[in-house]
Amino acid sequence: MITADGGSRMGKKVLYKSLVDESLKLAQSPPEKVLIFRRGLDPDMPTVAGRDVDWHEFAAPHAGAQVPCAWLESNEPSYILYTSGTTGKPKGVQRDVGGYCVALASSMELIYCGHAGETMFTTSDIGWVVGHSYIIYGPLIAGMTTIMYEGVPIRPDAGIWWKIVQDHKVTVMFSAPTAIRVLKKQDPAYLSKYDLGSLRHLFLAGEPLDEPTHVWIAGALKKPVIDHYWQTETGWPILSAVPGVEQTRNKFGSPSFPVYGYDLQLLRESDASEAGPDEKAVVAIVPPLPPGVMSTVWGDDERFVKTYFTTFASKMVYATFDWGIRDRDGYYFILGRTDDVINVAGHRLGTREIEEAVSMHANIAECAVVGVADALKGQMPLAFAVAKDTSTLASPEGRKQLEKEVMETVDRQLGAIARPKAVHFVTLLPKTRSGKTLRRAIQALAEGRDAGDLTTIEDPAALEQLTSALAGK
Ligand code: PRX
């Protein structure tokens, strides 16, 4: 394992070592050695003798070493990246080397228009697919300089990203809509303070780009802002404008057209037939999948096929699990997930995983987690939980305390990004007679929409409880 003593966020230190030690205690096959890069953030860091190795001591004898290329067969795996789906168990998305290189090299030229010798700035987290593809491999394959930025867009002030663009003559920038929504709340003067002459395009992905945010950033930068759509599974864009081939008009709210290599179809959920213009349907990719797209679920080929290729009984196609429509001009629009995955500030989370984390609290019998619309983060998880011992809920303080404990349990299991906006306590959840939680109905009610057809509900009292909980009664 390779790690650092810590990182920093919003001027605060985040120490990693105790997290690493704790996770290695839980690991079924812990690594023999842990290589630690000390950044001086944790002078008192404890070490495990015989296991922990200091990076500087380890690397010193190898300084200046020339390491020859290791030639690999193109289907050899390059990396595994875990991502959420419908179950509580994340899938290891496995990618190859050859196809991935080809896809990245061509996308750097034709989509991102980045050239050797120039600089790319992708504001993502390196541990996320966008970081893998477009902080590390893509720009380096293209012969570009890449910028790794640790921190948030508004510290030391809201001009930091634009200062980076100016100082390093960034030509290609890639970020996420949430970050732009954060910047939109800051003083707009920061955007005109720096010389952004080098910048050609700003690409955004990871979540829907709402029109007001798109209009604002395009106007403020006076550069083309390109919304493009893809997934951890694909590793590179599915839908995008391709400015390196042709300049096309942007439509707000649309990531434009299928990228070359993708045979995209919009299929009706009922019978897998192709949907007409402006008709909502499932976004599917007809195999063979393009180069760069996942080759399997790590260690589980059967799960790969079952998860992605069995949505339709009559057609073996890859399901993206997103709803989409195509308008009469051929522009696509993504309308959210068909499964129980939610998108919190561009982070993909499975509501089942959050439910499992909530249930880890000793006093929770069962729960339902849904995603509700949030102006800044796109969506946020909201939890409804049934307590085992209800005596703690008798007072408002008791409720607050249990809610706090549940949130801390989620923080520990999945990280603060998955923490529910609120935990509402009820004594029963809305379920069908066959015991399936009516998540879509819960979500609709939580967002103040009509809950739709509720004839299948087992006990309507569950809905009354839900409505009262939401109203704070
Ligand atoms: O629902 C879609 C949404 O994010 C999901 C993929 O998330 P992740 O695996 O984290 O990969 C992100 C790589 C950029 C998709 O299934 N999504 C991604 N981009 C967009 C989007 N939804 C709407 N518009 C987008 N541009």
Side-chain angles (χ1 to χ4, degrees), residues 83 128-130 205-208 227-233 255 320 322 334 337 343 348:
T83 194
W128 190 40
V129 69
V130 173
E207 53 181 319
D227 177 16
H228 62 331
Y229 155 84
W230 46 291
Q231 306 182 307
T232 302
E233 288 85 343
T320 59
D322 280 305
I334 296 297
R337 300 277 305 193
N343 198 316
R348 174 167 159 183

Side-chain angles (χ1 to χ4, degrees), residues 82-84 93 112 128-130 134 174-175 177 204-209 226-239 253-255 318 320-323 333-339 341-343 346-349:
Y82 279 83
T83 194
S84 304
V93 166
Y112 298 100
W128 190 40
V129 69
V130 173
Y134 295 111
F174 185 158
S175 191
L204 299 173
E207 53 181 319
L209 175 60
I226 299 182
D227 177 16
H228 62 331
Y229 155 84
W230 46 291
Q231 306 182 307
T232 302
E233 288 85 343
T234 64
W236 68 296
I238 305 170
L239 290 173
S254 165
Y318 169 96
T320 59
F321 299 100
D322 280 305
W323 296 111
F333 294 80
I334 296 297
L335 306 174
R337 300 277 305 193
T338 63
D339 59 4
V341 164
I342 62 170
N343 198 316
H347 295 257
R348 174 167 159 183
L349 299 166

Side-chain angles (χ1 to χ4, degrees), residues 153-433:
I154 51 168
R155 202 183 159 95
D157 62 47
I160 182 63
W161 281 3
W162 316 117
K163 182 174 183 326
I164 290 173
V165 170
Q166 171 189 278
D167 292 356
H168 299 278
K169 300 199 174 42
V170 169
T171 56
V172 191
M173 196 170 164
F174 185 158
S175 191
T178 295
I180 306 300
R181 285 194 291 268
V182 168
L183 289 174
K184 190 168 163 231
K185 292 186 153 185
Q186 309 289 318
D187 185 350
Y190 282 115
L191 270 148
S192 41
K193 199 171 154 194
Y194 298 99
D195 176 6
L196 306 178
S198 60
L199 192 66
R200 251 178 248 127
H201 299 107
L202 168 66
F203 287 85
L204 299 173
E207 53 181 319
L209 175 60
D210 56 286
E211 182 165 344
T213 305
H214 199 165
V215 171
W216 175 77
I217 189 65
L221 286 178
K222 299 181 192 65
K223 306 276 174 174
V225 174
I226 299 182
D227 177 16
H228 62 331
Y229 155 84
W230 46 291
Q231 306 182 307
T232 302
E233 288 85 343
T234 64
W236 68 296
I238 305 170
L239 290 173
S240 181
V242 185
V245 174
E246 187 186 7
Q247 296 296 330
T248 48
R249 188 168 66 89
N250 255 336
K251 271 197 194 185
F252 292 119
S254 165
S256 301
F257 317 109
V259 167
Y260 54 90
Y262 288 89
D263 182 0
L264 217 63
Q265 289 191 347
L266 285 172
L267 301 180
R268 295 190 178 105
E269 202 184 19
S270 51
D271 61 358
S273 58
E274 276 199 72
D278 296 324
E279 185 184 341
K280 183 175 165 181
V282 177
V283 180
I285 307 169
V286 179
L289 299 176
V293 177
M294 70 188 295
S295 31
T296 188
V297 169
W298 182 70
D300 200 343
D301 295 338
E302 207 176 305
R303 188 165 177 209
F304 174 50
V305 176
K306 268 210 182 121
T307 305
Y308 294 103
F309 292 91
T310 58
T311 298
F312 304 102
S314 58
K315 235 181 220 172
M316 207 186 88
V317 290
Y318 169 96
T320 59
F321 299 100
D322 280 305
W323 296 111
I325 55 166
R326 183 179 45 232
D327 72 8
R328 286 175 194 280
D329 301 326
Y331 283 79
Y332 283 69
F333 294 80
I334 296 297
L335 306 174
R337 300 277 305 193
T338 63
D339 59 4
D340 295 322
V341 164
I342 62 170
N343 198 316
V344 182
H347 295 257
R348 174 167 159 183
L349 299 166
T351 51
R352 293 284 161 88
E353 286 161 63
I354 308 176
E355 286 173 2
E356 280 182 22
V358 168
S359 305
M360 300 280 267
H361 188 283
N363 194 19
I364 299 299
E366 63 169 338
C367 71
V369 171
V370 295
V372 289
D374 181 86
L376 193 64
K377 298 184 176 180
Q379 278 186 304
M380 272 195 85
L382 184 66
F384 296 87
V386 178
K388 286 179 190 159
D389 171 10
T390 51
S391 64
T392 47
L393 301 177
S395 69
E397 296 75 37
R399 276 174 182 263
K400 271 274 148 246
Q401 176 60 26
L402 186 56
E403 181 178 38
K404 184 167 162 267
E405 285 175 24
V406 167
M407 288 184 176
E408 286 166 358
T409 312
V410 175
D411 283 5
R412 259 197 315 281
Q413 296 300 319
L414 299 172
I417 188 80
R419 185 191 306 162
K421 191 174 193 164
V423 185
H424 295 296
F425 296 102
V426 289
T427 58
L428 78 166
L429 295 167
K431 288 189 183 176
T432 60
R433 271 168 224 112

